[in-house]
Amino acid sequence: MQKIFGGPILPTLMKLAVASVVVGILLAFFGIQPIDLWRDFLDTVARIWHMGFDAIDWSVRYILLGAVVVVPIWLFVRLWTFLIERK
């Protein structure tokens, strides 16, 4: 258990409790409620999730747009090279 806690269990728990009280006092001083932190966190995760899918949508759109030009040219070059090498 000491490996998990990074040292003796009781002193580590006491340090965590003191740090939690100090942070709690600071957050209360600034008027921040725990539920606000969770809402903001979950909203941020949701925004990141949507931005990820927006980025995928954006990249797929441009990949397909470029592929309309690049793939036929590539096929033409491959066929041309194949026909020239056969001679």
Side-chain angles (χ1 to χ4, degrees):
M1 286 297 278
Q2 286 190 4
K3 287 183 180 181
I4 293 173
F5 282 93
I9 297 171
L10 234 61
T12 302
L13 290 176
M14 291 302 293
K15 290 176 190 176
L16 287 172
V18 169
S20 295
V21 168
V22 170
V23 170
I25 290 171
L26 286 172
L27 291 175
F29 177 76
F30 289 109
I32 299 172
Q33 299 296 318
I35 193 70
D36 295 336
L37 291 175
W38 278 110
R39 280 189 200 134
D40 290 344
F41 172 74
L42 294 175
D43 288 344
T44 301
V45 169
R47 274 188 258 136
I48 290 171
W49 180 265
H50 291 296
M51 283 190 320
F53 282 113
D54 288 344
I56 291 171
D57 180 49
W58 175 87
S59 61
V60 167
R61 185 174 299 149
Y62 285 108
I63 287 171
L64 292 175
L65 183 61
V68 168
V69 174
V70 171
V71 171
I73 292 172
W74 176 78
L75 279 172
F76 176 76
V77 169
R78 294 299 301 155
L79 286 171
W80 184 263
T81 305
F82 177 74
L83 291 173
I84 289 178
E85 288 177 355
R86 287 193 66 154
K87 289 185 178 185

